[in-house]
């Protein structure tokens, strides 16, 4: 179950990065679309930092993993729906307002990456003996997410692809719930 859960979260997170790059190339200018990379790195780094500072183990670690996977799905929907409504225009005269909008973009958009990063990092903390197998699952899921999102976007469009990413997180959450 954990193997499949990390596979699905990894699929969803890389698919989300590619999907956000595509969405932002249309909603923003194409040269701002690559801020997705910094958003993803910042969210993942924040989750790793949070887990390393919070050294107290969880009483039910799989409930925590289930929560983080569910939060990944919810924040994916929330962050994209809010971010596409923020009127970011880097050529506006009021640069102070635009810096505020960019700050909002980052704070809203790092949330899915924070929760996905917390899921993956905590699995690696929990399972140290068979880390190679779970890391393989992580890499395979990322590879599938990078490849599969292209035909998904072609067939379902951007909105449909967002729901596929959300669904991957929801299924991972259910799988982590089933682990005893």
């Amino acid at each position: 179950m954990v193997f499949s859960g990390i596979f699905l979260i990894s699929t969803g997170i890389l698919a989300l990065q590619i999907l956000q790059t595509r969405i932002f190339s249309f909603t923003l200018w194409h040269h701002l679309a690559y801020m997705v990379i910094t958003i993803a790195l910042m969210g993942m780094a924040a989750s790793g930092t949070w887990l390393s500072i919070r050294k107290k183990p969880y009483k039910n670690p799989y409930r925590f993993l289930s929560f983080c996977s569910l939060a990944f799905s919810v924040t994916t929907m929330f962050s994209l729906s809010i971010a596409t409504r923020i009127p970011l225009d880097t050529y506006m005269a009021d640069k102070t307002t635009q810096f505020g909008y960019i700050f909002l973009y980052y704070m809203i958009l790092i949330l899915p990456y924070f929760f996905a990063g917390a899921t993956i990092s905590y699995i690696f903390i929990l399972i140290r003996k068979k880390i190679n197998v779970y890391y393989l699952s992580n890499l395979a899921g990322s590879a599938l997410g990078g490849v599969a999102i292209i035909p998904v976007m072609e067939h379902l469009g951007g909105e449909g692809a967002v729901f596929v990413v959300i669904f991957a997180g929801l299924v991972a959450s259910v799988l982590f719930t089933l682990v005893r």
Side-chain angles (χ1 to χ4, degrees):
M1 296 289 179
V2 177
F3 185 82
S4 300
I6 194 171
F7 180 85
L8 287 171
I9 285 292
S10 301
T11 301
I13 197 166
L14 199 67
L16 179 63
Q17 289 176 32
I18 294 170
L19 182 60
Q20 282 180 336
T21 303
R22 180 81 178 251
I23 290 170
F24 294 160
S25 70
F26 287 110
T27 60
L28 304 172
W29 291 281
H30 60 84
H31 58 277
L32 289 178
Y34 296 102
M35 72 182 192
V36 171
I37 296 166
T38 60
I39 290 167
L41 288 173
M42 190 166 41
M44 300 283 271
S47 69
T49 303
W50 179 68
L51 285 173
S52 69
I53 290 172
R54 189 198 186 286
K55 296 184 178 187
K56 182 181 172 185
Y58 289 96
K59 291 180 183 176
N60 188 343
Y62 296 107
R63 183 178 297 158
F64 172 73
L65 293 174
S66 180
F67 168 78
C68 286
S69 299
L70 179 64
F72 166 72
S73 294
V74 171
T75 57
T76 295
M77 182 175 55
F78 168 75
S79 66
L80 286 174
S81 64
I82 298 296
T84 55
R85 289 173 175 79
I86 296 175
L88 182 63
D89 182 6
T90 56
Y91 293 116
M92 278 181 87
D94 186 10
K95 297 293 184 193
T96 306
T97 304
Q98 294 307 310
F99 283 130
Y101 287 152
I102 289 173
F103 180 76
L104 278 175
Y105 255 78
Y106 273 86
M107 291 301 103
I108 290 169
L109 292 171
I110 67 168
L111 293 174
Y113 298 105
F114 177 85
F115 289 112
T119 304
I120 293 168
S121 298
Y122 201 67
I123 289 170
F124 289 164
I125 290 169
L126 277 178
I127 305 163
R128 295 181 182 161
K129 291 183 179 180
K130 295 183 179 182
I131 191 75
N132 57 344
V133 174
Y134 292 96
Y135 190 61
L136 171 68
S137 179
N138 174 250
L139 291 176
S142 297
L144 179 65
V147 172
I149 196 64
I150 306 294
V152 168
M153 283 190 293
E154 287 178 9
H155 287 78
L156 301 177
E159 297 87 3
V162 169
F163 285 111
V164 169
V165 170
I166 291 168
F167 184 71
L170 291 174
V171 172
S173 178
V174 169
L175 289 174
F176 291 133
T177 303
L178 297 174
V179 175
R180 300 266 182 235

